């Protein structure tokens, strides 16, 4: 691992921990993504994590806070854009017709995206707005 990769690994650790500490499972390889999607049961929240402070600093807290409801996804997973590139690319293959966006969030069921929140609906918004966006989707699909 080169010095830049090592640095980014250290920088991204608290960002990973913020989601894994809230119950998200990291998918680190394309194989893990395929296994997850092929065995997906119920609804799943997929967070495409990112180092970008302006948007990801809103996305992670919003994802966590949205789970403080009775209605919520059955499964929680995350891929890390820019860090786990192959896993992120594989997950994006399942976001049919949706432009890559980091960070972003997808509510999925049976391998299909039911609701998607791109970076444009995260950056520049209040955490509460993003939480409400997620809760509305949970109430509709979970």
């Amino acid at each position: 691992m080169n010095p830049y990769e090592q640095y980014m690994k250290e920088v991204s650790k608290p960002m990973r921990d913020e989601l894994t500490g809230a119950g998200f499972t990291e998918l680190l390889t394309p194989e893990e993504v395929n296994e997850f999607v092929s065995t997906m049961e119920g609804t799943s929240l997929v967070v495409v994590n990112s180092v970008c402070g302006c948007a990801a600093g809103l996305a992670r807290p919003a994802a966590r806070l949205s789970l403080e409801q009775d209605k919520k996804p059955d499964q929680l997973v995350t891929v890390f854009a820019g860090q786990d590139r192959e896993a992120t690319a594989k997950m994006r293959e399942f976001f049919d017709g949706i432009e890559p966006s980091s960070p972003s969030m997808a509510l999925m069921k049976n391998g299909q995206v039911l609701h998607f929140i791109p970076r444009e609906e995260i950056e520049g918004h209040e955490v509460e707005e993003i939480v409400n966006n997620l809760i509305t989707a949970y109430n509709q699909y979970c």
Side-chain angles (χ1 to χ4, degrees):
M1 182 178 303
N2 70 41
Y4 174 75
E5 290 171 335
Q6 182 62 37
Y7 171 77
M8 288 309 296
K9 183 176 182 178
E10 292 170 16
V11 166
S12 66
K13 185 172 179 355
M15 298 170 198
R16 292 175 183 274
D17 293 349
E18 188 172 354
L19 290 177
T20 59
F24 284 80
T25 300
E26 282 190 300
L27 303 177
L28 302 172
T29 67
E31 294 77 19
E32 289 177 355
V33 171
N34 275 334
E35 173 72 14
F36 169 74
V37 173
S38 67
T39 61
M40 184 185 293
E41 291 186 17
T43 53
S44 302
L45 178 62
V46 179
V47 174
V48 178
N49 202 350
S50 170
V51 172
C52 169
C54 48
L58 297 168
R60 288 186 299 270
R64 284 191 347 267
L65 290 168
S66 76
L67 302 173
E68 296 175 359
Q69 314 302 312
D70 291 334
K71 277 194 169 188
K72 57 189 170 191
D74 301 305
Q75 298 173 7
L76 308 169
V77 297
T78 181
V79 293
F80 207 119
Q83 300 296 303
D84 304 317
R85 289 179 179 92
E86 295 84 10
T88 303
K90 179 52 75 177
M91 182 58 79
R92 285 176 171 154
E93 289 178 15
F94 296 101
F95 299 168
D96 194 38
I98 299 171
E99 288 293 318
S101 183
S102 303
S104 60
M105 297 180 248
L107 186 63
M108 298 179 71
K109 186 173 186 174
N110 301 325
Q112 302 296 311
V113 175
L114 303 172
H115 185 76
F116 190 79
I117 302 175
R119 178 187 181 118
E120 296 76 41
E121 293 180 28
I122 298 170
E123 189 173 19
H125 292 264
E126 296 294 324
V127 169
E128 295 77 18
E129 291 177 272
I130 306 161
V131 169
N132 288 335
N133 187 334
L134 287 166
I135 290 171
T136 299
Y138 300 165
N139 287 336
Q140 183 174 354
Y141 298 112
C142 296

